[in-house]
Amino acid sequence: MSPQDDTKGNENVSRRNFLKKSGYALGGLLVGGVVGSLLTVGQRQAAPSPAPQTQSTTDYNQALMYFRPDQFRMVEAATERIFPADENGPGAKDLGVAYFIDHQLAGDWGFNARDYMRSPFFKGETVQGYQGRLNRREIFDIALQEMQNYSQRKYQKNFADLTEEQQDEVLRAFEKDEIKLTTISPSGFFRILRNATIEGVYADPLYGGNKNMGGWKLKNYPGNQMAYTNIIEKDEFVKMPPKSLKDHLHT
């Protein structure tokens, strides 16, 4: 066989290999790095793909819906003084209570949508609850501004920048009506803030507070279990990890 025939033979073999490999690719293997591995059979193997990096999860429930950033810092600091962290567990800040209050103000609760809000308005007894024309959004806006003003007058600092002892003094002044305001009741605002703080600590995490169910864990509260049939007849106390409403979305 002449050298020319040998060259033609090599060309034919090369052409057949190319068509064969191309046929594999066109036959449905054109995904990912499969084609690359097919076209390098007998040659240097491709380096393995790097393992996917683990991305940190983001809690999208922790987003402001009503407060300005400066208002949020005040509420976060105030609620932490009402429910501070200690050796037993997290406080209001770590539990996301300020987000809970922010989300509530953004909804019906902030507008007093389910309350009777028509005049005439008279000062009622303590047991009667709030009697006035302002909704909770307006009360928070006014009270936070007055809290800032009082902190500036007394300590020449913003409330969020005060020491814990100074913040306690400001909150105590509101609680005891030592601050004279014409638009709102200082003690009335403090009661709303305190009640909202406790609710944020123990509400279902679905609503923005009680992060990681930390408030429930402090009380050994089981949260929203679907049933107790497996333990209801047991005499001893059964401690179980709490469950949120979100845990049952796909069950």
Side-chain angles (χ1 to χ4, degrees):
M1 184 174 60
S2 67
Q4 185 177 5
D5 293 336
D6 183 57
T7 302
K8 291 182 179 180
N10 290 335
E11 289 178 353
N12 290 336
V13 172
S14 299
R15 185 179 296 110
R16 282 197 300 271
N17 287 337
F18 172 78
L19 292 174
K20 181 179 179 181
K21 293 170 183 177
S22 299
Y24 288 152
L26 297 175
L29 295 176
L30 192 61
V31 290
V34 176
V35 173
S37 63
L38 283 173
L39 297 180
T40 55
V41 173
Q43 301 178 18
R44 180 176 58 86
Q45 295 295 321
S49 301
Q53 296 181 352
T54 303
Q55 295 182 350
S56 58
T57 58
T58 302
D59 187 355
Y60 292 100
N61 208 16
Q62 291 197 330
L64 294 185
M65 299 181 181
Y66 179 73
F67 286 139
R68 300 191 311 267
D70 60 311
Q71 291 177 318
F72 177 81
R73 289 184 65 228
M74 293 179 65
V75 173
E76 189 174 55
T79 55
E80 179 68 15
R81 298 313 305 145
I82 294 172
F83 196 92
D86 59 18
E87 66 277 4
N88 296 311
K93 181 177 181 178
D94 290 335
L95 291 172
V97 169
Y99 287 106
F100 169 82
I101 296 176
D102 171 78
H103 296 182
Q104 293 300 306
L105 287 173
D108 289 348
W109 187 78
F111 288 107
N112 292 62
R114 299 185 180 183
D115 298 337
Y116 185 82
M117 298 291 291
R118 294 187 178 276
S119 59
F121 300 104
F122 299 100
K123 185 176 180 179
E125 300 295 329
T126 304
V127 294
Q128 292 180 301
Y130 174 67
Q131 306 286 317
R133 68 179 73 251
L134 298 177
N135 61 41
R136 294 185 184 93
R137 278 188 169 197
E138 295 167 325
I139 292 174
F140 266 84
D141 285 344
I142 295 171
L144 292 177
Q145 185 59 56
E146 293 295 345
M147 186 182 295
Q148 196 78 295
N149 295 340
Y150 183 79
S151 301
Q152 284 287 349
R153 286 196 305 270
K154 188 168 184 178
Y155 300 108
Q156 293 75 52
K157 290 183 179 181
N158 293 332
F159 177 82
D161 298 325
L162 299 178
T163 65
E164 294 179 351
E165 292 75 14
Q166 291 171 338
Q167 290 173 348
D168 288 345
E169 288 297 324
V170 174
L171 292 173
R172 193 173 294 111
F174 271 79
E175 181 183 16
K176 296 182 177 181
D177 282 320
E178 295 175 355
I179 302 174
K180 303 305 178 184
L181 304 177
T182 58
T183 50
I184 64 170
S185 163
S187 61
F189 167 70
F190 179 81
R191 286 194 296 272
I192 294 175
L193 179 62
R194 183 183 183 278
N195 290 340
T197 299
I198 302 303
E199 290 173 7
V201 169
Y202 296 116
D204 193 285
L206 200 64
Y207 300 103
N210 191 15
K211 187 176 180 180
N212 298 322
M213 295 176 280
W216 289 349
K217 293 173 184 177
L218 286 170
K219 296 287 188 180
N220 288 326
Y221 178 65
N224 294 293
Q225 302 285 336
M226 292 297 288
Y228 297 93
T229 53
N230 59 326
I231 63 168
I232 196 168
E233 295 184 356
K234 295 184 178 181
D235 294 329
E236 71 275 10
F237 176 78
V238 178
K239 185 176 180 180
M240 60 180 66
K243 285 188 177 182
S244 165
L245 289 169
K246 184 179 179 180
D247 296 329
H248 304 299
L249 292 177
H250 304 291
T251 57

